Amino acid sequence: MLPYFPFDQQFNHKVGTVPLAENDRLIEVDEHYQVEIALKRQLLTELPTYYYQTLPGHQIAHWEVVETVLTNLARFMPNQFALRKEGNNWHWQNHLLNEETTFTFGDKTTLPVDPLDWAGRQIQEDLILLAGNEATLVSGQLCFGNGWCLDEKMGLPFWQIHTPIVPILEPMMRSAQKLMERLPVGRPVGRMNWSVKVTDQLDMTSRHTPALDQLLANHLPYLTPEAIGDYLYIRIERQTLTRLPRSGAILFGIHTYQNLLANEVIERPACADQLARVFITTPPAMLAYKGMDHFMPALFAYLKECNHS
Ligand code: HEM
């Protein structure tokens, strides 16, 4: 079952951010940790400059990300992770991967890769850094992106990053822009995003878009009301936004979770009803943007049938 289910009575036109409480984790580790970290590291080895990029001049923020990620893991999962600090000499133990790293905080030559890149290799989340008044994308490690990639968005401000979305959800994106400008230090927030996919492939960065479009086209004849639940996956992103205290940059973390639709329907009572309510109130342009318009009639028929049975 998905750990979060961002579907209720209707499509949410609001930004949908909620404050993270003192005891909420910024970073989440689940049963897919080892598999997903291995996949991430493989992608970063194969195409390092596609999955990790940075503009010059953001070292302070990178080290703040290292500090934020390691402190959070060690605080919430002390049996799995440990951080020992002696001045700037830091010792990191990752028991889940059986790895130990000693480095000098602030000295990037003591880590095998850039600090932000290294921090991202410890966790399932994608990590994006936005800096300046317009929240410009300045650095990122994005392995599990949903239909976008760093090549397309590096150096763009928040507003331009969302060019395809603004005409569809302009009021939401205006509020989001304000939130980016005003997010205070020490008050991280979280929000959920959702989509419905024909595969549970984690890496859906843009280089895979033609193949994914083809996969959907090939599957369309099989997406009948009877079978569709066994073909589609609900894919959700838990997104967090944290203002970093020294650099003032914003850390945007994205943790992707997914589950087969038929399994979610079995495991979660009222799931089919809630999905149907949200999908029917989602602006058609948004369904088209999410690539769901091709199979909506069959999906509605399936969800209706689930409600009756
Ligand atoms: C409160 C903050 C945010 C809100 C309300 C928001 C909202 C959205 C929405 C509604 C979409 C359409 C995708 C969908 O629903 O399936 C989207 C896509 C996207 N968002 Fe955000 N977003 C936020 C923060 C961010 C941040 C910080 C980034 C940083 C890079 C980002 C990058 C993107 C990208 C790259 C896309 C895909 C755009 C494309 O297709 O070209 N978002 N966002």
Side-chain angles (χ1 to χ4, degrees):
M1 191 163 77
L2 292 165
Y4 302 94
F5 194 70
F7 305 92
D8 194 4
Q9 294 297 313
Q10 59 192 23
F11 178 79
N12 188 0
H13 285 265
K14 304 240 166 67
V15 178
T17 46
V18 289
L20 292 187
E22 179 62 17
N23 282 325
D24 287 341
R25 295 156 195 238
L26 199 59
I27 312 296
E28 295 188 327
V29 173
D30 71 1
E31 71 273 22
H32 307 294
Y33 180 80
Q34 275 88 353
V35 171
E36 293 185 9
I37 298 298
L39 173 58
K40 224 187 203 203
R41 292 181 179 191
Q42 183 197 329
L43 296 171
L44 286 158
T45 302
E46 284 169 6
L47 289 176
T49 57
Y50 182 76
Y51 292 106
Y52 171 75
Q53 291 182 17
T54 184
L55 299 179
H58 297 282
Q59 287 301 309
I60 292 177
H62 286 203
W63 285 105
E64 286 183 287
V65 174
V66 170
E67 182 170 22
T68 305
V69 167
L70 300 192
T71 309
N72 221 263
L73 288 172
R75 175 180 164 213
F76 287 108
M77 302 188 75
N79 294 332
Q80 288 83 4
F81 304 99
L83 178 63
R84 207 178 60 239
K85 298 181 189 173
E86 284 154 19
N88 282 337
N89 295 326
W90 288 30
H91 183 68
W92 171 245
Q93 288 174 293
N94 183 330
H95 298 302
L96 290 179
L97 300 175
N98 218 359
E99 289 178 355
E100 296 195 22
T101 315
T102 303
F103 60 93
T104 307
F105 187 86
D107 179 356
K108 67 182 262 186
T109 64
T110 60
L111 282 174
V113 290
D114 273 4
L116 176 65
D117 190 3
W118 183 81
R121 290 168 194 241
Q122 306 292 315
I123 55 176
Q124 292 161 272
E125 277 78 3
D126 286 311
L127 296 176
I128 304 293
L129 264 182
L130 303 110
N133 291 343
E134 293 185 292
T136 299
L137 204 171
V138 293
S139 312
Q141 188 195 72
L142 183 84
C143 292
F144 305 145
N146 179 4
W148 65 289
C149 67
L150 294 172
D151 283 337
E152 294 167 356
K153 307 287 185 184
M154 278 297 287
L156 294 186
F158 180 84
W159 192 252
Q160 267 166 266
I161 290 170
H162 288 94
T163 299
I165 323 299
V166 170
I168 312 175
L169 297 172
E170 185 157 350
M172 179 202 280
M173 294 321 298
R174 286 207 182 281
S175 310
Q177 167 89 354
K178 284 205 185 84
L179 181 122
M180 298 300 289
E181 286 163 12
R182 296 174 191 170
L183 183 69
V185 171
R187 301 262 191 83
V189 296
R191 71 181 290 275
M192 304 299 302
N193 202 2
W194 58 262
S195 49
V196 179
K197 300 289 182 182
V198 83
T199 157
D200 61 354
Q201 179 179 319
L202 257 180
D203 171 10
M204 291 198 181
T205 51
S206 309
R207 72 190 185 101
H208 297 295
T209 303
L212 290 168
D213 287 349
Q214 189 58 51
L215 187 72
L216 175 58
N218 295 345
H219 277 76
L220 277 181
Y222 305 101
L223 301 184
T224 61
E226 297 73 34
I228 198 166
D230 293 312
Y231 278 101
L232 295 184
Y233 293 84
I234 306 178
R235 177 176 172 120
I236 60 165
E237 293 179 357
R238 177 187 186 247
Q239 306 177 336
T240 60
L241 292 160
T242 308
R243 174 86 65 193
L244 301 172
R246 291 189 288 281
S247 62
I250 290 180
L251 173 63
F252 180 50
I254 312 163
H255 194 133
T256 301
Y257 296 96
Q258 39 197 0
N259 194 16
L260 188 73
L261 175 58
N263 289 346
E264 194 69 18
V265 164
I266 293 168
E267 291 157 6
R268 186 184 295 275
C271 164
D273 181 47
Q274 286 169 312
L275 288 175
R277 282 170 192 266
V278 170
F279 297 156
I280 203 134
T281 51
T282 300
M286 203 59 208
L287 289 177
Y289 169 84
K290 289 176 190 272
M292 295 171 61
D293 47 343
H294 307 281
F295 51 72
M296 279 324 287
L299 181 52
F300 277 127
Y302 166 78
L303 294 172
K304 197 169 170 196
E305 189 54 38
C306 293
N307 274 331
H308 290 308
S309 51

